[in-house]
Amino acid sequence: MSEELHQVAVQVNGKHCERRVESRLLLSDFLRHDLGLTGTHVGCEHGVCGACTVLMDGLPVRSCLMLAAQTNGHAIETVESLTNDRDKLHPLQQAFHEAHGLQCGFCTPGILMTMMAFLKETASPSEAEIREALSGNLCRCTGYQKIVEAVTLAARRIGQAGAR
Amino acid sequence: MTAEPRYLGARVTRNEDARLLTGRALFVDDVNPPHLLHAAFLRSPHAHARIKRIDTGAALKRDGVAAVYTAADLGSYWKPGPLLVPPPPIKGIAFNLRAQVPLAKDKVRHVGEPVALVIARSRYIAEDAAADIAVDYETLPAVVDMERGAAGGPVVHDDLGSNIASRVRQTKGDYAAAARNAHAVIRRRLVYDRGASVSMETRGVVAEWDAKADKLTVWDTTQGPVFIRGGLAAMLGLSERQVRVVAPFIGGGFGPKMMMFYPEEVVIPWVAIRLGRPVKWIEDRLEHFFATTQERGQIHDAEIALDKNGKILGVKDEFLYDTGAYNPYGLTLPINSQCTLLGGYVVPSYDSSFTGVFTNKPIVTPYRGAGRQHGVFVMERLLDIAARELEIDRAEIRRRNFIPSGAFPYNNEIIFQDFAPLEYDSGNYAPVLNKTLKMIGYDRFLADEQPKLRALGKHVGIGVVFYIEGTGIGPYEGARVQVQASGKVSVATGVGTQGQGHFTSFAQIVADQVGVDVRDVDVVTGDTDQFYWGAGTFASRGAVVAGNAVNEAGKAVRKKILRAAAEHFECAEQDIVVAGGQASIAGVPGKTIKLGELALRANPMRGAVKPGTEPGLEATSYFGPPSGATACGAHAMIVEVDPETMTIAIKKYVVVHDCGTVINPLILEGQIQGGVAQGIGNAFYEQLHFDDQGQLLNASLADYLVPTALDVPRMELGHECTPSPLNPLGIKGAGEAGAIPVGALFAQALEDALDLPRRGVEILEIPLSPNRLWELAGALFKQRGTS
Amino acid sequence: MKPAPFRYVAARSLDEALALKAEHGDEARFLAGGQSLIPAMNFRLAQPAMLIDINPLKELDYIRRAGNVLRIGALARYRALQRDAAVARHQPLLAETLPHVAHPQIRNRGTLAGNMAHADPASELPAVVLALGGRMHARSGRGERWIDARDFFKGALTTALKSDEMLTEIELPDLPAKSGAAFLEVSRRRGDYAMMGVAAVVTLGADGACIGARLAYCNAGEKQMLAGKAAQALVGRRGADKYISDAAALAESEIDPQGNVHASKKFQRHLAGVLTRRALQTALARAGAA
Ligand SMILES: Cc1cc2nc3c(=O)[nH]c(=O)nc-3n(C[C@H](O)[C@H](O)[C@H](O)COP(=O)(O)OP(=O)(O)OC[C@H]3O[C@@H](n4cnc5c(N)ncnc54)[C@H](O)[C@@H]3O)c2cc1C
Ligand code: FES
Ligand code: FES
């Protein structure tokens, strides 16, 4: 049985992109395999781990729980969008680096994308708010403490930059 | 002149971060060679069954399917896996090896055991086709409970006639005499149930056969690429030079990604060669709960004999250990339990025996802690009970029994997992415990805060436990350090890395030796084409063993630099200073040469390299510690329990740790915090629930509860430093420390919070849960009126 | 874990969606947030032949006040409900419950209607809608109808919707004056389905006695569960602790929890008692009970 294909036109990391996709192709697989954006990771494919989190129209969603076909006319952002300069990290990434907010780094892209949206909505978050916002992303390596510290640091810096 | 350590001990941020943070880092699932095919395994739905017939006809007909294989198709390639770690030379030991097979042939022995394999154009189609395969099974009663399995009934391995996988007894002194003379003998049954490692990245293998180069490349989520390379070459009849195994970035290992020779690891390369196309298999999360090894099922019947002052006279322990359907990993795990039980205490007599039991459950191999949890749990619980019965403070009874700091090296007389006698290299335990008590506010809490809180009707308790950790065992690791013409330094070792920061720790060591900026050191790990020899990342040994190999190689390169520079400047080696990426004559301005320049000169295009000189500024060194280094630590926690719902809130958590010289405190903190999080999961959230048919009832991340950011508390960390005399850097491993004592801590602190012992209830098992606490103690809190 | 093959259709109009559903019946499923459906498909537990994606139907994406009811369109997502001023003001019970449902990323997609249609007895939200006395608006090519929440839930993953019907709207009436509500649950981790949860609503008369009460539970049986007897026991009473405990005890025996790996049936009943008591105390206090 050959599967029916759908034309999708989607903004990915600011670039317009058109592809033909099968009905059942998950957005996570579309990003990783069709577009080669392997920064988005897949840890469970049932919506729990959060590794696959990307932004759709600015909001974090599980890319393993969406179909590629559903993104037609929408904008997707992945971890690859955070910086295009090899030598200069986004302030959020920089904070993760400085605070040692990652170990194996597998959960990290999903966490970064979740936190991007969170920090946009929450200017100077408390530790409790950060932990709540992180609760949909599992990390098996860090114990979260340094992730919380990284997000706190990033929030402060981004806040300062915004104030200037 | 020795290098002044600049980076060793500093909070250097990690070199590997940028790649990981930008999504550039290569994980196995990111390897996508052209013409890639995808694999899906058909796995047994039964825990125990005979395979009567397999019909792959429909699967083969499906559009997009390239091949379907069953055990029969593997021909002579079908062989049980190797024994990974031979049992240690202990007198009277019994060990029955039954290793996993590539695809089940006549019988399946646990749910999820692979039965057939589909190769297709996409993973989607491969899964469709796997569902097309029809298998006739004759189901058999499953061996689920290890006690019943040991006693008789159905057998997992027919040829063995029983389910006994191993029996080992180790003794020290005369326990029977100690018990006879004891003031008190305390006997308990203690149970530790199964858990899973659940790395966020599942396992995966990509294999590619390059027919023109006659070479196989395998990208594998393994902690032991060198072993896999050697093993695969032998199995496939290839030279080791024809096989390259790459463990790229690994999304967490924690033990089960060790060199297991998992069925998938063995079959996928074979298929790739056969089909002449690259093949990828990525374990999905459902498979992970069956196909990746697990840990922890043990039942201990333990007793401790004490004098009236609470001094330990001896310990006796008999335990059962669930090894799952196969036991390729030998006895590492139960021997760790056996040895770690002795803890940091003087235990004059010890009589410990265990029986390994085959069950129809996934295979058991080391997972972070690797049996150490159980030993710590048993000993710490026995001491808690002893303290109560003898009316001694919990901390005090530990202090009274500590091995005195003057007694090291301290020989415990039994054999450790590394085959060496269990000898602690160094230690100073009392300061670790005292610092922990101080940081948690132990005295104040017990004397002042707890009574006040109790008066307010709150249920808040404290716990404090102590543990030791045998780390950094042999056999050896190696490293090559090379100064390049660019002035950058490259380091290659055979260990793989799974997030422990080796890229940075090793760079720090080398940067100090060779006198360059840490950012100019490029570390390659886990690629057998880059470094040929090694064992792997296990038993908290990466930093200790490979770190020291790196240090030795760095030293050797430093020597070469000094010699080359001295020759260049025609001065004495003692006058050369190596720093900032260059060599110079001390005190003579202008007399400097860049290391890159020296490297170039050491590999000249014309002229001759002097006899006895090797080209380049490069050295390879190996390091094998005579035996493991013993780290120690203490954890303490204050926890509040809602006795009606049995939900908990951790108010304060303290860890004090002594792992000798610290290479990088930032990385160490992360290791400990991550370990504690896993320990908390193991103690209160995570449990694998098997029914009596051997079916796992919670095979998803929705029901296997990995703690979230809301469940893991902020931790306060303290450090002590007692360097190891066994290696020049003085380091001890730290990878498992966070995880080991948490079960024991939870049991003690929750008992205290609910004031259970006074009410006749003891917590003698892990994992706990609100449900389990309520079963144990709910009745005590029933008619409390409204809160 | 990849889904089995299916046909995907992005609906261009409500009529088209309804027509396709009528044509394909149970073989077809509406795709709303996908936060229950896609995981089930990834596990191959659900293998529909066709997905009718209703996400393009913006006309279903609304939260509206009309008189003294709140109308929630089929595409109103949890995120929107959590941030909606009318929800906060007029249906604080719903607002209070939403943070317990999954995680931010899931709530950015999941819909209240999808949750109702999915009808998982373990979910918090059917309990809330039952406790609030909501109604469901269903449409098909044949016409439309209202279904009372009490008649909507038929058991685990089954509802009163016919195979050609779409749940287009959920209507929540304002609570009468002097009402108070509370939602409480005990879950293993924040965001997990609860081991037990209760939504309690009470209404007091002028004299301060209880004149109406509803107690609804999640994970308390094979189907979504209102504890009628327990609620009835409160009516006519003043919020004395004794009556609360009686109601809690009644609720414990009235529900029919199934037990799971996290909580035995007994523990679930026990939790129901504890939570009923606590929720009632809060609800009564909020209703202004002395
Ligand atoms: C990690 C995770 C954790 C979660 N935790 C919780 C939790 O704690 N509590 C909880 O309640 N839920 C939880 N959920 C489920 C979540 O609430 C879902 O969003 C919700 O159950 C379904 O809504 P949906 O819009 O995503 O529906 P979908 O998944 O799109 O659909 C669900 C079902 O309803 C049908 N359907 C959808 N819309 C309509 C309609 N308008 N008319 C008729 N049929 C329709 C679909 O065909 C499908 O059968 C969790 C989900 C995940 C992934
Ligand atoms: S892969 Fe999507 S949430 Fe885990
Ligand atoms: S850093 Fe490894 S899972 Fe988070």
Side-chain angles (χ1 to χ4, degrees):
Chain A
M1 182 173 78
S2 79
E3 288 186 40
E4 161 200 44
L5 296 176
H6 303 270
Q7 183 75 19
V8 295
V10 50
Q11 282 283 117
V12 179
N13 297 338
K15 283 195 218 100
H16 183 77
C17 142
E18 292 197 26
R19 287 285 193 291
R20 294 175 70 74
V21 298
E22 288 180 1
S23 293
R24 61 169 161 167
L25 183 67
L26 299 175
L27 174 57
S28 46
D29 286 338
F30 174 66
L31 293 169
R32 292 179 45 77
H33 302 148
D34 293 34
L35 303 184
L37 296 170
T38 54
T40 298
H41 295 155
V42 169
C44 72
E45 292 178 312
H46 53 270
V48 186
C49 77
C52 70
T53 304
V54 300
L55 301 185
M56 178 155 119
D57 301 333
L59 294 180
V61 299
R62 304 295 207 219
S63 62
C64 70
L65 297 188
M66 291 206 56
L67 305 172
Q70 285 186 281
T71 61
N72 191 26
H74 293 276
I76 302 291
E77 287 159 88
T78 68
V79 68
E80 285 90 349
S81 71
L82 296 185
T83 177
N84 41 28
D85 182 342
R86 273 186 87 91
D87 299 317
K88 195 160 172 358
L89 297 175
H90 182 278
L92 181 63
Q93 293 169 314
Q94 182 64 25
F96 269 69
H97 170 64
E98 288 174 28
H100 189 30
L102 66 157
Q103 289 184 27
C104 78
F106 194 80
C107 66
T108 311
I111 291 182
L112 290 174
M113 298 320 283
T114 304
M115 290 300 108
M116 283 296 289
F118 170 68
L119 290 179
K120 258 197 197 115
E121 290 187 341
T122 324
S124 30
S126 65
E127 168 155 357
E129 286 173 313
I130 295 173
R131 285 184 181 268
E132 172 77 33
L134 276 173
S135 68
N137 292 79
L138 297 178
C139 173
R140 195 57 158 166
C141 299
T142 62
Y144 304 104
Q145 187 159 329
K146 291 188 185 296
I147 297 179
V148 172
E149 284 162 14
V151 175
T152 310
L153 181 65
R156 206 168 53 229
R157 287 202 186 136
I158 293 169
Q160 279 164 0
R164 245 180 269 134
Chain B
M1 223 192 246
T2 53
E4 192 57 37
R6 226 161 36 101
Y7 291 115
L8 194 72
R11 299 175 74 85
V12 179
T13 57
R14 301 195 319 170
N15 283 349
E16 54 267 55
D17 285 353
R19 273 180 286 171
L20 291 162
L21 284 162
T22 53
R24 276 184 283 134
L26 184 87
F27 290 85
V28 169
D29 193 17
D30 304 341
V31 176
N32 280 315
H35 313 299
L36 182 64
L37 292 170
H38 296 263
F41 284 84
L42 177 71
R43 296 176 182 277
S44 169
H46 305 294
H48 199 190
R50 255 176 249 295
I51 300 173
K52 302 302 239 187
R53 202 175 59 92
I54 306 178
D55 182 355
T56 58
L60 277 164
K61 281 195 214 99
R62 192 177 271 271
D63 192 26
V65 171
V68 179
Y69 301 101
T70 65
D73 302 312
L74 296 181
S76 63
Y77 191 64
W78 190 95
K79 269 196 202 88
L83 171 62
L84 302 170
V85 184
I90 295 168
K91 223 174 72 209
I93 192 168
F95 177 70
N96 300 313
L97 172 68
R98 293 294 181 279
Q100 74 284 359
V101 297
L103 292 171
K105 202 173 241 171
D106 307 315
K107 198 172 161 181
V108 287
R109 295 186 177 83
H110 66 87
V111 176
E113 185 164 8
V115 173
L117 166 66
V118 179
I119 309 292
R121 197 175 63 220
S122 77
R123 172 69 179 239
Y124 291 76
I125 296 170
E127 289 187 19
D128 298 343
D132 293 338
I133 299 174
V135 186
D136 267 1
Y137 291 102
E138 174 199 336
T139 55
L140 301 168
V143 182
V144 181
D145 180 274
M146 65 180 127
E147 276 188 289
R148 263 184 277 157
V155 286
V156 178
H157 296 280
D158 301 347
D159 62 317
L160 195 58
S162 85
N163 292 314
I164 304 304
S166 58
R167 273 192 214 282
V168 173
R169 180 171 182 208
Q170 294 212 72
T171 59
K172 158 187 182 182
D174 182 351
Y175 175 76
R180 270 196 308 277
N181 300 327
H183 170 76
V185 174
I186 291 161
R187 190 181 166 81
R188 291 291 187 279
R189 164 163 275 219
L190 297 129
V191 179
Y192 219 108
D193 200 8
R194 271 196 186 220
S197 59
V198 189
S199 50
M200 283 299 110
E201 179 203 38
T202 54
R203 290 186 300 115
V205 183
V206 179
E208 180 173 30
W209 173 249
D210 181 340
K212 293 195 182 112
D214 231 14
K215 182 155 184 176
L216 175 72
T217 304
V218 180
W219 290 265
D220 186 359
T221 53
T222 181
Q223 297 169 231
V226 173
F227 272 113
I228 296 293
R229 186 262 332 266
L232 280 180
M235 286 181 222
L236 294 164
L238 298 171
S239 141
E240 288 187 4
R241 292 286 176 200
Q242 285 175 283
V243 181
R244 175 185 179 202
V245 175
V246 186
F249 278 96
I250 306 290
F254 314 124
K257 286 183 181 166
M258 217 31 246
M259 65 305 174
M260 282 292 305
F261 295 95
Y262 277 107
E264 305 88 359
E265 236 166 1
V266 168
V267 176
I268 298 294
W270 179 85
V271 172
I273 294 175
R274 219 175 148 84
L275 296 180
R277 301 248 321 248
V279 179
K280 174 188 276 190
W281 169 75
I282 300 298
E283 181 183 62
D284 66 34
R285 186 54 70 185
L286 183 61
E287 293 182 286
H288 180 81
F289 281 101
F290 304 98
T292 289
T293 58
Q294 305 176 345
E295 219 210 273
R296 308 264 142 99
Q298 293 188 8
I299 302 174
H300 290 250
D301 286 302
E303 63 182 68
I304 187 167
L306 307 111
D307 74 9
K308 65 176 188 309
N309 299 318
K311 277 250 189 200
I312 301 169
L313 301 174
V315 172
K316 181 172 179 201
D317 181 30
E318 255 177 77
F319 67 97
L320 287 178
Y321 143 70
D322 173 2
T323 189
Y326 302 97
N327 62 349
Y329 216 91
L331 296 173
T332 298
L333 229 151
I335 288 182
N336 271 345
S337 305
Q338 186 166 60
C339 289
T340 308
L341 186 145
L342 292 168
Y345 311 114
V346 175
V347 182
S349 69
Y350 188 37
D351 184 343
S352 165
S353 44
F354 65 80
T355 304
V357 186
F358 287 115
T359 59
N360 290 117
K361 287 189 268 181
I363 307 175
V364 167
T365 68
Y367 157 40
R368 201 174 202 170
R372 296 179 181 85
Q373 279 88 343
H374 311 78
V376 172
F377 184 65
V378 171
M379 185 58 136
E380 294 298 294
R381 288 278 64 199
L382 290 176
L383 282 176
D384 291 339
I385 296 162
R388 214 145 57 217
E389 298 204 349
L390 302 175
E391 295 181 350
I392 302 171
D393 172 75
R394 281 173 270 167
E396 177 57 24
I397 198 167
R398 289 171 166 83
R399 219 178 269 125
R400 282 188 199 171
N401 284 290
F402 276 151
I403 299 165
S405 60
F408 293 90
Y410 183 83
N411 190 342
N412 257 320
E413 296 172 37
I414 58 175
I415 303 283
F416 191 42
Q417 56 143 313
D418 62 352
F419 294 14
L422 181 65
E423 182 175 276
Y424 301 168
D425 54 337
S426 65
N428 191 6
Y429 299 154
V432 171
L433 180 65
N434 293 340
K435 186 180 247 180
T436 309
L437 296 173
K438 194 152 169 237
M439 284 172 69
I440 196 90
Y442 184 75
D443 294 334
R444 193 180 58 240
F445 179 83
L446 285 181
D448 200 28
E449 290 163 17
Q450 191 178 41
K452 277 190 200 142
L453 290 165
R454 284 203 171 141
L456 293 172
K458 292 196 183 273
H459 297 78
V460 188
I462 197 166
V464 57
V465 293
F466 185 86
Y467 63 97
I468 58 111
E469 182 197 1
T471 74
I473 58 168
Y476 76 92
E477 285 299 335
R480 183 178 63 244
V481 171
Q482 183 188 51
V483 181
Q484 304 189 346
S486 62
K488 303 236 179 204
V489 177
S490 86
V491 180
T493 86
V495 298
T497 184
Q498 305 88 37
Q500 302 94 328
H502 292 145
F503 292 92
T504 309
S505 314
F506 296 165
Q508 287 174 258
I509 294 171
V510 168
D512 279 345
Q513 285 296 355
V514 178
V516 295
D517 190 290
V518 71
R519 304 286 171 223
D520 286 332
V521 183
D522 175 38
V523 177
V524 185
T525 68
D527 181 343
T528 60
D529 268 13
Q530 298 277 343
F531 200 81
Y532 197 85
W533 299 103
T537 333
F538 55 88
S540 299
R541 66 190 291 283
V544 185
V545 188
N548 273 288
V550 165
N551 188 45
E552 294 306 313
K555 265 193 224 163
V557 168
R558 178 183 185 79
K559 268 198 200 122
K560 289 190 177 180
I561 293 171
L562 291 175
R563 182 146 152 213
E567 262 167 35
H568 174 72
F569 291 125
E570 299 183 340
C571 69
E573 283 181 28
Q574 299 87 283
D575 297 335
I576 302 290
V577 181
V578 189
Q582 51 192 23
S584 40
I585 306 185
V588 185
K591 286 281 185 194
T592 63
I593 181 165
K594 292 217 158 62
L595 294 186
E597 174 75 24
L598 269 185
L600 209 56
R601 281 164 187 268
N603 183 23
M605 282 294 284
R606 293 288 182 279
V609 172
K610 274 196 203 143
T613 323
E614 292 160 6
L617 296 177
E618 179 186 302
T620 301
S621 296
Y622 296 89
F623 180 80
S627 61
T630 305
C632 74
H635 290 206
M637 134 171 126
I638 295 175
V639 66
E640 177 165 5
V641 186
D642 174 342
E644 286 194 313
T645 62
M646 293 294 179
T647 48
I648 61 167
I650 299 172
K651 300 289 177 193
K652 191 166 180 176
Y653 200 109
V654 169
V655 180
V656 178
H657 186 236
D658 181 350
C659 59
T661 308
V662 174
I663 303 174
N664 185 329
L666 194 62
I667 290 175
L668 175 64
E669 288 163 14
Q671 284 289 311
I672 292 177
Q673 289 163 356
V676 170
Q678 287 185 9
I680 289 174
N682 180 212
F684 202 76
Y685 294 92
E686 301 175 34
Q687 185 162 15
L688 293 165
H689 296 274
F690 291 91
D691 70 8
D692 57 5
Q693 302 301 309
Q695 294 288 343
L696 181 57
L697 301 177
N698 58 331
S700 89
L701 288 183
D703 279 321
Y704 185 83
L705 308 175
V706 171
T708 71
L710 293 169
D711 307 312
V712 181
R714 174 163 282 281
M715 296 157 226
E716 291 169 37
L717 309 185
H719 298 284
E720 291 287 318
C721 178
T722 313
S724 173
L726 299 179
N727 63 74
L729 289 174
I731 48 191
K732 301 176 175 181
E736 308 180 84
I740 295 173
V742 189
L745 180 68
F746 264 66
Q748 190 195 107
L750 290 172
E751 270 185 0
D752 188 46
L754 294 171
D755 202 11
L756 294 183
R758 213 175 43 81
R759 303 157 182 242
V761 175
E762 290 174 343
I763 297 177
L764 301 173
E765 65 190 53
I766 291 293
L768 299 164
S769 65
N771 186 68
R772 189 63 191 135
L773 280 180
W774 184 76
E775 284 171 0
L776 288 169
L780 302 176
F781 300 94
K782 198 72 202 220
Q783 304 297 331
R784 279 188 63 260
T786 46
S787 52
Chain C
M1 298 195 319
K2 312 291 180 190
F6 57 85
R7 250 187 88 196
Y8 167 85
V9 182
R12 278 163 303 187
S13 69
L14 184 54
D15 288 343
E16 184 197 27
L18 294 175
L20 278 168
K21 187 76 169 98
E23 185 186 341
H24 295 275
D26 288 336
E27 296 280 277
R29 297 273 194 101
F30 293 120
L31 173 62
Q35 304 300 292
S36 290
L37 183 54
I38 306 273
M41 289 172 64
N42 285 358
F43 274 112
R44 298 198 179 207
L45 296 172
Q47 302 198 6
M50 173 185 275
L51 286 193
I52 306 162
D53 186 357
I54 63 170
N55 285 280
L57 307 180
K58 293 297 166 229
E59 66 267 36
L60 296 177
D61 185 2
Y62 60 86
I63 304 166
R64 239 183 251 137
R65 284 282 292 166
N68 55 359
V69 301
L70 191 68
R71 301 188 177 285
I72 298 171
L75 269 186
R77 303 189 197 274
Y78 299 146
R79 177 189 164 86
L81 291 162
Q82 273 187 288
R83 286 167 172 72
D84 188 274
V87 173
R89 177 141 185 221
H90 300 285
Q91 296 298 351
L93 182 66
L94 179 58
E96 172 171 294
T97 307
L98 284 165
H100 294 283
V101 177
H103 310 288
Q105 298 96 329
I106 313 293
R107 297 197 292 263
N108 286 342
R109 295 295 300 165
T111 65
L112 183 62
N115 187 301
M116 296 299 116
H118 186 58
D120 186 340
S123 171
E124 293 84 351
L125 295 169
V128 167
V129 173
L130 279 167
L132 291 173
R135 331 190 265 167
M136 316 291 184
H137 186 249
R139 276 184 69 164
S140 69
R142 295 175 290 118
E144 55 187 288
R145 61 178 177 138
W146 284 100
I147 310 168
D148 194 285
R150 270 175 309 192
D151 306 321
F152 182 80
F153 299 109
K154 294 289 181 197
L157 314 187
T158 34
T159 68
L161 289 174
K162 297 275 185 304
S163 77
D164 62 347
E165 280 180 320
M166 180 192 293
L167 171 58
T168 46
E169 184 180 286
I170 294 138
E171 181 191 272
L172 300 177
D174 287 359
L175 293 176
K178 294 205 73 173
S179 293
F183 178 84
L184 283 180
E185 71 170 38
V186 182
S187 61
R188 294 296 307 272
R189 301 172 302 186
R190 178 65 167 265
D192 285 345
Y193 286 98
M195 292 188 280
M196 180 53 60
V198 58
V201 175
V202 291
T203 304
L204 304 180
D207 63 350
C210 177
I211 56 169
R214 275 196 220 98
L215 291 166
Y217 293 81
C218 56
N219 219 348
E222 274 173 335
K223 63 177 278 194
Q224 293 70 13
M225 183 76 64
L226 273 169
K229 285 186 214 138
Q232 200 51 44
L234 291 163
V235 175
R237 313 283 197 185
R238 280 166 210 278
D241 287 348
K242 167 83 173 77
Y243 303 130
I244 292 179
S245 312
D246 288 349
L250 276 171
E252 261 187 59
S253 57
E254 199 174 348
I255 60 171
D256 180 27
Q258 302 296 300
N260 58 33
V261 294
H262 304 301
S264 67
K265 293 180 195 180
K266 272 174 90 174
F267 186 46
Q268 284 187 297
R269 278 191 204 278
H270 163 78
L271 288 176
V274 172
L275 293 178
T276 302
R277 194 188 70 224
R278 292 183 183 178
L280 280 174
Q281 282 163 349
T282 307
L284 283 164
R286 286 175 178 170

